[in-house]
Amino acid sequence: MNLSFFDQFMSPYLLGIPLILISLLFPALLLPSPHNRWITNRISTLQSWFIYTITKQLMTPLNKKGHKWALILSSLMIFLLSINLLGLLPYTFPPTTQLSMNLALAFPLWLATLLTGLRNQPSASLGHLLPEGTPTPLIPALIMIETTSLLIRPLALGVRLTANLTAGHLLIQLISTATAVLFSIMPAISILTACVLLLLTILEVAVAMIQAYVFVLLLSLYLQENI
């Protein structure tokens, strides 16, 4: 039973091909590229408003130099949001519950922000490792602590996204299993657990959206420190 709960986090294969590749490409089909010959309708208007709102929220803490990252950060936000929400559908595989994938997204972008700061303003970037006014005996220890906190940032990004989504999916599966088992034994309790399951599903939709936003927002804050 314990193993079956974690089977949903295993990447499915078809003819030896990992289907995680298809699940990663599927969100792109939900956002067709606009064309000059298209007639503006409600869907395209809603899509444009949604992308504009996301871009505005992400670019607010950044100065003009950071606006060059608008396309990357907005695309990442929409990508994570689509995958997280699609992963809540029944009989689907949630790719963002894989730590390897989340680290593959977090580490290169974090490294890009770090290298941007070292190239443009090396003194200011290295100055973050030592707070101003630090007593001389504490300088070596603080440099080691700040360096460690800097290096674990991509790990924290990946683990935060993985842990929150994995915990939510496990809770949904546990409560849904309890609802199905109790239905023939205690129908009243089963109805109550079904109500709890509905509320938990709504909560997980919110968590999926919030975690995608937090992931990209922290990257934008790391970028702001280096520009």
Side-chain angles (χ1 to χ4, degrees):
M1 180 64 70
N2 292 333
L3 291 178
S4 64
F5 285 152
F6 290 91
D7 286 345
Q8 59 177 322
F9 304 119
M10 298 175 60
S11 178
Y13 284 81
L14 180 62
L15 300 177
I17 301 175
L19 297 183
I20 187 175
L21 300 177
I22 299 177
S23 63
L24 292 178
L25 295 176
F26 184 75
L29 302 178
L30 302 178
L31 296 171
S33 57
H35 194 272
N36 293 331
R37 297 182 179 180
W38 277 16
I39 299 177
T40 303
N41 54 21
R42 290 191 179 98
I43 296 179
S44 61
T45 302
L46 181 61
Q47 175 184 337
S48 301
W49 172 83
F50 182 68
I51 295 175
Y52 170 78
T53 304
I54 289 177
T55 306
K56 182 180 178 181
Q57 291 293 328
L58 294 176
M59 294 299 105
T60 298
L62 299 178
N63 54 26
K64 291 184 179 180
K65 293 182 180 179
H67 292 179
K68 299 177 182 179
W69 290 63
L71 180 60
I72 297 176
L73 295 179
S74 300
S75 301
L76 179 62
M77 173 70 183
I78 295 173
F79 176 71
L80 290 176
L81 184 61
S82 302
I83 289 182
N84 290 349
L85 293 178
L86 289 174
L88 292 174
L89 297 176
Y91 302 102
T92 56
F93 171 70
T96 42
T97 57
Q98 305 296 311
L99 182 60
S100 57
M101 174 189 162
N102 296 332
L103 289 179
L105 291 174
F107 183 77
L109 293 173
W110 166 83
L111 185 61
T113 61
L114 183 62
L115 294 179
T116 300
L118 293 176
R119 184 188 65 179
N120 296 334
Q121 46 181 13
S123 299
S125 297
L126 294 176
H128 291 299
L129 300 179
L130 184 63
E132 186 177 357
T134 303
T136 304
L138 297 179
I139 289 179
L142 281 179
I143 290 178
M144 294 179 61
I145 293 173
E146 292 296 332
T147 303
T148 303
S149 65
L150 178 65
L151 295 178
I152 65 173
R153 282 181 174 180
L155 180 62
L157 283 175
V159 170
R160 181 186 295 107
L161 181 60
T162 303
N164 281 282
L165 296 180
T166 301
H169 283 80
L170 285 176
L171 282 175
I172 289 176
Q173 185 168 1
L174 285 170
I175 296 179
S176 60
T177 302
T179 302
V181 171
L182 293 174
F183 184 76
S184 58
I185 304 174
M186 293 180 287
I189 303 299
S190 178
I191 293 174
L192 291 177
T193 54
C195 295
V196 174
L197 179 61
L198 178 61
L199 296 176
L200 180 61
T201 303
I202 297 174
L203 176 63
E204 283 306 309
V205 171
V207 169
M209 300 172 66
I210 292 172
Q211 288 303 316
Y213 177 70
V214 168
F215 187 93
V216 183
L217 180 63
L218 289 176
L219 282 175
S220 66
L221 294 178
Y222 298 159
L223 177 63
Q224 177 62 26
E225 291 182 359
N226 292 282
I227 58 175

